[in-house]
Amino acid sequence: MSDPASPATRMNSTQEWVAYLSRVELPVLANTLRRINELTDSDSSTVNQLAAVIINDAQLTSQVLRLSNTVFYNQTRVQVSTVSRAITLIGFDSVKSMAISSLIVDSLLKRSSRPHLLKCLARAIHAAVQARNLLPKGNDQALEEVFIGALLMNIGELAFWSCDTEQAAELEHSLRAGTPDVEAQKEILHSTFPEISRGLAETWALGPFIRDVVSSGRPGSDASRLARHAVEMARLAEDGWRTAEMDQLMDTLGRELDESPAAVRDRARLNAGEAGEVAVSLGIPQVQSLLPDGSGEIEAPPPPDMDTDLQLRILRELAQSLTEKPDLNTVFQLVMEGIQRGIGLKRVALLMPDREGRSLILRTCTGPQTEGWRNHFVVPRNGSGALGHLLPRDGCTIYQPDAKALEQDFDPWLGRVPALIGPLVTNGRALGMFYADFGANGSEPGDEHLQAFSHFLQHAQLCLTLLSGK
């Protein structure tokens, strides 16, 4: 098998995808999920172990406590302020469920905010809420079991879309072109999302119930059957509650739950609204619009926080380099690092004139999914062409995409998401430009991002001016 740690590696089997996601991309998530799932509510020491796993992660602790005070989990309305108290008051299984939900959301969204990931998270949360609320009364433990089962049934798809791989970009392009889902997966991944989910459930030791839910065979229990139905319902609901497929599913659920299909449909529609509230509690309000009766449009998440201390350190290094006859490549590298790591922009490019001086072409770039920029990122200096609108006109500015901006074959976001652009000027002459965006995140840079971006370009221009005077 090829080395799964190599960024250029292409995975060509289910086993390779499982190894890559487990060992290279998501080892912390895999290990923490395994530790939580190994715990069962057997004695007080196990309860303490669950509390220890949660408390060891400050972000996870904060999320669990926030969820512990929502009506969805805590109908007693008693305020909870410690993890131990949450386990005592709300129950071991409920807190375990909160921890797994929070881990999934936080771990994956830290890595990517691409539209496909957000859509999958919306579907997973919707399915989990449906499963929990449709389960017949009388088995409190199964409430959390079906919730997590439905949430994790498509863990392979969630994990895949959280990773910025070449094959993710290819699959995204293929799906936009209209290729059927499974056909595109087999062609590009040499596997399918359900197969990857089954592999991860085994490798990550997610437990017998999850393995039953994701298996390709008949469900081994009524609870796992309900979890599968809930996932199917969440998928079908994206096309409405009155389709032929949804009617058939409602008939099936009506028979299994001993209710009329109309009653099940009414309950399901109410549950969809509750799924939106759970999404907000989990810290992803932007997926509400992707739930049934939402707008269907993804609200761009806010930009990540800037690291002002790192910005200052890099600016000091640039200032120091002025006294040491700076190497041009070093200057550009520092500026790009400051823009990417200090300001938080995901993708940064420096463009310089071609031999004829008619266009600006890529000199260097950094960030995920910029492989196609090398040969195709070209900005004509007269402002013409598909990317001519990216040419800076009046200093550094926030570029706002035009509604008519065309998608580029080599990059689905370039020119179609907000970005920072700025000229590289020395001695009154424009030598090139910097470009930076949030990529698949789609966030819009604010004035504070523009100001920091301008500072880095000013330092770059000062270095260039000094070098040209040698």
Side-chain angles (χ1 to χ4, degrees):
M1 190 174 93
S2 55
D3 177 13
S6 170
T9 294
R10 291 184 66 85
M11 272 54 72
N12 294 306
S13 69
T14 301
Q15 292 76 15
E16 289 185 7
W17 277 111
V18 170
Y20 177 76
L21 293 170
S22 302
R23 298 207 304 263
V24 179
E25 293 285 359
L26 298 164
V28 175
L29 172 62
N31 289 334
T32 308
L33 277 177
R34 186 181 295 112
R35 288 172 62 199
I36 291 176
N37 273 292
E38 285 172 351
L39 300 176
T40 57
D41 190 9
S42 57
D43 52 39
S44 59
S45 64
T46 305
V47 172
N48 292 336
Q49 289 169 354
L50 175 60
V53 171
I54 295 171
I55 293 169
N56 194 46
D57 184 324
Q59 177 68 16
L60 182 58
T61 301
S62 174
Q63 281 278 53
V64 166
L65 291 178
R66 185 166 75 233
L67 288 168
S68 296
N69 289 295
T70 63
V71 176
F72 185 74
Y73 281 106
N74 183 356
Q75 297 184 2
T76 68
R77 307 291 181 113
V78 175
Q79 188 73 19
V80 173
S81 55
T82 67
V83 174
S84 299
R85 176 62 173 156
I87 296 173
T88 301
L89 182 68
I90 302 170
F92 179 94
D93 291 307
S94 291
V95 174
K96 181 177 173 180
S97 169
M98 294 178 213
I100 291 174
S101 306
S102 300
L103 268 174
I104 292 294
V105 171
D106 290 346
S107 300
L108 300 185
L109 280 183
K110 279 179 184 176
R111 306 175 54 79
S112 173
S113 294
R114 63 167 70 237
H116 281 287
L117 175 59
L118 293 173
K119 183 176 181 179
C120 290
L121 280 171
R123 188 181 292 172
I125 292 168
H126 182 199
V129 172
Q130 291 287 2
R132 191 179 194 270
N133 287 354
L134 289 174
L135 185 76
K137 305 299 181 186
N139 188 342
D140 291 342
Q141 181 176 355
L143 283 175
E144 306 310 330
E145 200 169 47
V146 296
F147 181 92
I148 295 303
L151 183 76
L152 298 183
M153 182 170 170
N154 291 321
I155 185 62
E157 186 173 8
L158 286 165
F160 173 83
W161 287 122
S162 75
C163 304
D164 288 324
T165 62
E166 278 187 15
Q167 283 159 286
E170 291 172 17
L171 182 59
E172 207 163 32
H173 183 76
S174 181
L175 294 176
R176 280 198 305 272
T179 308
D181 284 9
V182 176
E183 180 183 326
Q185 291 167 33
K186 289 180 177 178
E187 178 183 346
I188 296 169
L189 311 186
H190 306 284
S191 181
T192 64
F193 290 145
E195 290 169 351
I196 296 172
S197 292
R198 288 192 280 273
L200 291 180
E202 191 69 39
T203 301
W204 292 7
L206 297 183
F209 183 78
I210 303 297
R211 289 199 298 273
D212 185 26
V213 170
V214 303
S215 74
S216 58
R218 294 172 62 86
S221 68
D222 291 342
S224 60
R225 180 182 296 106
L226 178 61
R228 293 189 193 182
H229 285 328
V231 172
E232 179 68 0
M233 183 196 298
R235 182 184 69 82
L236 294 176
E238 293 167 9
D239 294 322
W241 293 102
R242 289 289 180 180
T243 64
E245 287 183 291
M246 183 64 85
D247 288 344
Q248 186 176 352
L249 178 60
M250 290 300 162
D251 287 342
T252 299
L253 281 168
R255 289 193 302 272
E256 293 179 0
L257 299 175
D258 196 21
E259 297 182 37
S260 70
V264 176
R265 195 189 314 265
D266 288 343
R267 287 176 61 194
R269 297 188 73 158
L270 289 174
N271 294 341
E274 189 168 6
E277 297 173 10
V278 172
V280 172
S281 299
L282 285 166
I284 45 174
Q286 65 266 36
V287 307
Q288 281 182 295
S289 62
L290 300 177
L291 293 166
D293 302 322
S295 68
E297 297 177 359
I298 297 174
E299 178 184 328
D305 294 334
M306 296 192 297
D307 189 337
T308 52
D309 289 339
L310 180 59
Q311 288 179 39
L312 290 173
R313 290 200 300 273
I314 294 176
L315 287 171
R316 278 199 294 268
E317 286 187 38
L318 275 167
Q320 177 64 29
S321 72
L322 297 181
T323 65
E324 302 171 352
K325 296 183 179 180
D327 171 78
L328 197 57
N329 291 327
T330 300
V331 170
F332 290 150
Q333 182 60 41
L334 282 170
V335 170
M336 295 182 71
E337 186 174 347
I339 294 171
Q340 186 182 47
R341 294 180 56 222
I343 306 178
L345 278 299
K346 296 293 184 184
R347 312 191 304 172
V348 187
L350 168 65
L351 290 85
M352 301 290 278
D354 60 9
R355 291 181 180 178
E356 292 77 25
R358 295 177 183 174
S359 297
L360 299 178
I361 60 175
L362 191 75
R363 170 160 179 165
T364 185
C365 65
T366 183
Q369 295 168 328
T370 56
E371 298 84 4
W373 289 10
R374 181 65 55 189
N375 298 318
H376 302 286
F377 195 167
V378 179
V379 178
R381 299 184 84 169
N382 63 4
S384 65
L387 297 176
H389 48 286
L390 293 178
L391 189 71
R393 304 291 182 182
D394 301 303
C396 295
T397 187
I398 299 175
Y399 162 77
Q400 293 291 352
D402 188 287
K404 298 178 182 179
L406 298 176
E407 180 178 325
Q408 306 300 308
D409 288 340
F410 67 93
D411 188 293
W413 303 288
L414 191 63
R416 303 182 75 227
V417 295
L420 294 175
I421 53 176
L424 193 56
V425 179
T426 181
N427 297 324
R429 187 164 63 96
L431 293 183
M433 64 171 284
F434 276 94
Y435 169 93
D437 68 25
F438 288 106
N441 185 296
S443 299
E444 182 173 341
D447 290 339
E448 67 278 13
H449 298 93
L450 178 61
Q451 185 176 13
F453 180 75
S454 300
H455 284 163
F456 279 106
L457 265 63
Q458 288 168 7
H459 277 70
Q461 289 171 171
L462 180 56
C463 291
L464 276 176
T465 300
L466 290 176
L467 286 171
S468 63
K470 288 183 181 179

